[in-house]
Amino acid sequence: DAGITQSPRHKVTETGTPVTLRCHQTENHRYMYWYRQDPGHGLRLIHYSYGVKDTDKGEVSDGYSVSRSKTEDFLLTLESATSSQTSVYFCAISDGGGSYNEQFFGPGTRLTVL
Amino acid sequence: GIQVEQSPPDLILQEGANSTLRCNFSDSVNNLQWFHQNPWGQLINLFYIPSGTKQNGRLSATTVATERYSLLYISSSQTTDSGVYFCAVDPTDSWGKLQFGAGTQVVVTP
């Protein structure tokens, strides 16, 4: 199994509070991704990173920011959480290289915004 | 953007039965992955299959990229096969940004 951990695994917070989710990998993979999973939508990409300090937006990036100061860590921040951001958040990693891009997923973080 | 459709949305199988899940996509892709999300929420990689056929135990997958579809075969199903099966495509025009289908919910009964 790919060495990916996410913390916290569960979090309950209140509307308007900032929240930071952490993804940590031990695989030294270049690419890291944040997805959210909601019923009926599969997974949708929020942001991704293609190297330290290099990030870009995904399909549902509004209300989220990310940072990557080290290869192994990718942080997702909700600056002011809203109830619509209640979801399960997954981090993924890939080694990339040419057209090969198999992504491996972490265990997920269940976030509830009250 | 690219559309990814999975069918059927739900599938109930008796243990030992065979089944086929389908994934259609609307545009050209660099690659395609199949995942199994188990009842505990974990996403497990099944196949990385941009084209051709692969087999892994009782599971196999075929992707026909020119016709924009992929099939996942489950043979001799077991209760541990229960969960949601997702296909995800990596579009040619947006490398790395996986686009997921809505999934097929599979329930295998004893």
Side-chain angles (χ1 to χ4, degrees):
Chain A
D1 290 344
I4 312 168
T5 56
Q6 294 185 229
S7 58
R9 294 292 315 280
H10 301 271
K11 185 170 182 66
V12 179
T13 191
E14 294 193 347
T15 297
T17 61
V19 176
T20 296
L21 308 183
R22 180 183 182 234
C23 177
H24 178 77
Q25 60 143 331
T26 58
E27 304 295 322
N28 200 35
H29 282 2
R30 177 181 175 186
Y31 298 89
M32 299 185 75
Y33 311 82
W34 278 108
Y35 293 85
R36 61 178 287 173
Q37 183 178 25
D38 304 293
H41 284 280
L43 279 78
R44 293 179 292 174
L45 181 66
I46 305 172
H47 280 281
Y48 68 102
S49 169
Y50 46 96
V52 173
K53 294 186 174 20
D54 292 323
T55 65
D56 204 350
K57 295 179 179 180
E59 178 186 356
V60 290
S61 59
D62 287 349
Y64 302 95
S65 62
V66 290
S67 66
R68 191 171 178 198
S69 59
K70 299 185 290 185
T71 299
E72 58 265 36
D73 289 326
F74 193 31
L75 304 181
L76 177 70
T77 298
L78 291 66
E79 301 290 348
S80 177
T82 67
S83 58
S84 65
Q85 294 176 311
T86 292
S87 189
V88 180
Y89 291 86
F90 286 95
C91 172
I93 65 173
S94 71
D95 203 14
S99 63
Y100 177 75
N101 183 34
E102 185 172 9
Q103 295 188 22
F104 297 87
F105 284 77
T109 293
R110 183 173 296 276
L111 176 67
T112 302
V113 184
L114 302 176
Chain B
I2 194 168
Q3 304 299 311
V4 182
E5 295 181 355
Q6 292 187 241
S7 59
D10 300 281
L11 192 58
I12 299 177
L13 301 168
Q14 198 153 21
E15 207 167 19
N18 302 328
S19 62
T20 301
L21 283 58
R22 188 177 180 101
C23 174
N24 292 333
F25 43 97
S26 62
D27 210 339
S28 60
V29 300
N30 291 315
N31 61 68
L32 183 145
Q33 290 186 246
W34 283 99
F35 297 92
H36 175 215
Q37 187 167 40
N38 65 23
W40 295 271
Q42 184 181 6
L43 281 161
I44 299 163
N45 288 44
L46 296 177
F47 295 100
Y48 177 89
I49 184 165
S51 63
T53 297
K54 291 187 177 181
Q55 181 148 10
N56 184 1
R58 296 179 296 100
L59 302 181
S60 63
T62 295
T63 297
V64 184
T66 53
E67 297 186 21
R68 299 180 182 166
Y69 73 89
S70 183
L71 302 174
L72 178 69
Y73 306 95
I74 305 174
S75 65
S76 304
S77 58
Q78 300 177 358
T79 55
T80 53
D81 294 330
S82 295
V84 183
Y85 290 79
F86 290 103
C87 76
V89 301
D90 190 355
T92 302
D93 62 354
S94 56
W95 187 93
K97 299 181 179 181
L98 283 187
Q99 190 72 34
F100 280 74
T104 293
Q105 173 86 52
V106 173
V107 175
V108 182
T109 61

